Every structure is written in structure tokens, then in C-alpha cells.
Amino acid sequence: MLGKLLKYEMKSQGKSLFLFWMAILGLGLLIRIFSMLEEVMPVFQYLTPISIFTFGIAIVLSLVYCFFLAIKNYYKKVLREEGYLTNTLPVNKSSIILSFLITDVLALIVTVAFSFLGFFIAFGTASEEAKSMWSAFSISLEQEFDMSIETIRCILVGVMLVGYVNTISLFYAAMTVGHSFSQNKISSSIGVGVAFYMGFQFLNVIEMIVIFLKNKMDFTNALATNQVPYELIGIILIEAFMVSIISMITTYTFANYFLNRKLNLE
């Protein structure tokens, strides 16, 4: 049943994001054409920057809409009128939440992939100078963190994906808990969301203090100067990753519990 839910949600989100994906590819192609015509017709020297700017805006809007769509679909299909149908499906509530989260992540990955493809269409491969700069930067990162650039990439991608899922899961939990109240559901959802956010931020601060104390460093000085010792960045990222995992599991559990026991669709 989870597979059917995923198929339905992916098709729904794909239809909503299709125009953004095509716009990114189309603008990428337009940039390439304008760049080729610059030498023939000087007017394209002015059109190329405009098309590049529009291309960048299209990517940003597609990513923002991807996030907005994730929240809107859950609210509309689980907590509003359609929720009566969704919540009577012969499937666990945890599977319903999971289907939305998986679809949200896949939609983000596909949108990012189209963005990279559009960038490749527009500008082609990187120049030798850019490749040389990236190589030097990669070597510097490998030396500082004592790990391969591939490992660093995987960690960064993992952190970003977990952070994205964690944020969406927080919204899901806040809306679900808020809709367990008989009145003021929207304001209750906002209040619950703020409470979740503040709680996890407090956990992050505690984690930072523990790291600084264990390494015998002055946390208050770092807080006042807004500077974190470079040698602690790796440890802080790992700990923040763990806090995000805890946050994601907690909010998922809350959403599942309230969807099962406390949801009020009146």
C-alpha cells in the first residue's frame, strides 16, 4: 500500500513541479543560444545577463515551491477535507506520513538534478581555470578535515537532506498536533511549531556547550565574537547532525501519534 501512496504522491508533485523543471531547462538553453549569438549580434550581450538572472530566479523559485508544495499537500490531503478519505485508507498512519516525506525528498532531488542539468546546458563544462581552483580547494578541505573530498561531499549532502526532512517533519508534527484542538487550529499549530523549534534550538545550545567544555574552550567568548574555532567545526557538524536525527524522529513520532489518536477534523 505504501508503494501505491508513493506512486500517487509522486505523480501529483511531478505535475505541480513539471513547469518549473521545463522552465529551468528552457532558460538554460536560451542562455546557451544567446551566448552563441553575442558575437554575431551585439544586442544579445544585454539579453544574456537578463536570461542568466531569470535562470537563477527560476531555480530559487522552484526550490521554494518544492518546500511549499510539501507543506501544502500534507495540510490539504491529511488535515483538511481530503483528510477524511486519506485517514480511512487501509494503511498505517506512519506509512501515510512516510509516503509524504519520501515524496518530498525525491521531489527536491529531482528539482536539484534539473537545476544542474539546466546549468550544464547553459554553461557547459567548467573551464580549466575553474577546475584548477576547485582542485586546490578540494585538496585544502581534505587536509583540514583529514578525509577524502568524496566523503566530505557525502556528509554535506547527508546533512542537507536530513535538515530538509527534519524541517518538513517539524511542520507536519506542528500542524497535526495543532489540529488535535477543537478550536484555533492554525494558531495552535503555529504555537506548537515554535515550541518544537525552541526546544531543539535549546538542545543545540546544550550540545555546543558540552563540546566546548570537553575541549576546554570558552563558549561565552565564541558566542560574543560569533566565531567558532575552526578545529571544532567537524565535531559541531556531527553533533548537529545527531540533533537533527533526534528532532526528526521526535517530530515523526508526534505526528504519527496524534494522527492515530488525537486528530480532530471537525
Side-chain angles (χ1 to χ4, degrees):
M1 191 64 185
L2 177 60
K4 292 182 179 179
L5 285 172
L6 284 172
K7 181 179 178 181
Y8 174 77
E9 288 304 320
M10 287 178 187
K11 185 181 294 185
S12 174
Q13 288 216 21
K15 288 180 179 178
S16 300
L17 289 166
F18 182 76
L19 289 179
F20 281 98
W21 296 338
M22 293 302 101
I24 290 171
L25 296 184
L27 286 167
L29 181 61
L30 203 62
I31 292 170
R32 173 60 68 90
I33 293 172
F34 285 172
S35 299
M36 293 171 60
L37 294 175
E38 278 184 356
E39 296 181 1
V40 180
M41 299 179 66
V43 68
F44 286 103
Q45 295 178 0
Y46 304 99
L47 293 177
T48 301
I50 296 174
S51 60
I52 292 174
F53 176 77
T54 308
F55 176 73
I57 293 296
I59 291 177
V60 172
L61 287 178
S62 65
L63 294 172
V64 171
Y65 185 69
C66 194
F67 177 78
F68 168 77
L69 196 61
I71 307 303
K72 183 192 114 175
N73 281 348
Y74 183 83
Y75 177 72
K76 177 183 176 184
K77 297 178 181 179
V78 179
L79 304 176
R80 295 299 295 169
E81 288 79 6
E82 291 185 36
Y84 288 102
L85 176 61
T86 303
N87 288 290
T88 55
L89 291 173
V91 62
N92 294 331
K93 298 297 188 292
S94 57
S95 296
I96 294 175
I97 301 170
L98 193 60
S99 68
F100 279 96
L101 289 174
I102 293 174
T103 304
D104 298 337
V105 172
L106 290 176
L108 175 68
I109 292 173
V110 173
T111 302
V112 172
F114 269 100
S115 300
F116 276 109
L117 180 59
F119 192 88
F120 175 76
I121 292 173
F123 306 105
T125 58
S127 64
E128 291 300 322
E129 183 180 356
K131 290 179 180 179
S132 177
M133 291 175 62
W134 172 251
S135 178
F137 179 67
S138 300
I139 293 172
S140 175
L141 286 179
E142 289 175 340
Q143 291 174 345
E144 291 293 342
F145 292 99
D146 193 26
M147 59 181 70
S148 67
I149 190 65
E150 288 77 17
T151 303
I152 295 173
R153 286 175 184 170
C154 290
I155 291 174
L156 289 176
V157 170
V159 167
M160 287 188 289
L161 284 178
V162 169
Y164 184 74
V165 175
N166 178 38
T167 302
I168 293 175
S169 182
L170 189 150
F171 271 88
Y172 285 2
M175 290 189 296
T176 306
V177 175
H179 278 69
S180 66
F181 295 91
S182 58
Q183 295 180 341
N184 301 320
K185 295 180 180 181
I186 299 298
S187 57
S188 298
S189 299
I190 294 172
V192 172
V194 171
F196 273 131
Y197 177 79
M198 295 301 294
F200 294 128
Q201 287 303 309
F202 179 75
L203 191 59
N204 272 317
V205 172
I206 296 297
E207 162 254 323
M208 288 277 288
I209 293 174
V210 170
I211 291 174
F212 274 77
L213 289 177
K214 285 175 65 176
N215 290 272
K216 298 179 180 179
M217 293 186 175
D218 188 357
F219 176 76
T220 55
N221 180 61
L223 194 63
T225 59
N226 201 29
Q227 292 182 347
V228 177
Y230 189 78
E231 60 270 24
L232 294 184
I233 291 179
I235 300 174
I236 291 172
L237 279 176
I238 293 173
E239 294 296 330
F241 182 79
M242 296 306 298
V243 170
S244 294
I245 293 291
I246 294 171
S247 169
M248 186 169 60
I249 294 173
T250 302
T251 51
Y252 178 85
T253 302
F254 266 89
N256 182 46
Y257 175 78
F258 277 83
L259 201 60
N260 269 301
R261 308 274 181 92
K262 304 287 187 180
L263 185 63
N264 186 347
L265 291 177
E266 294 180 1

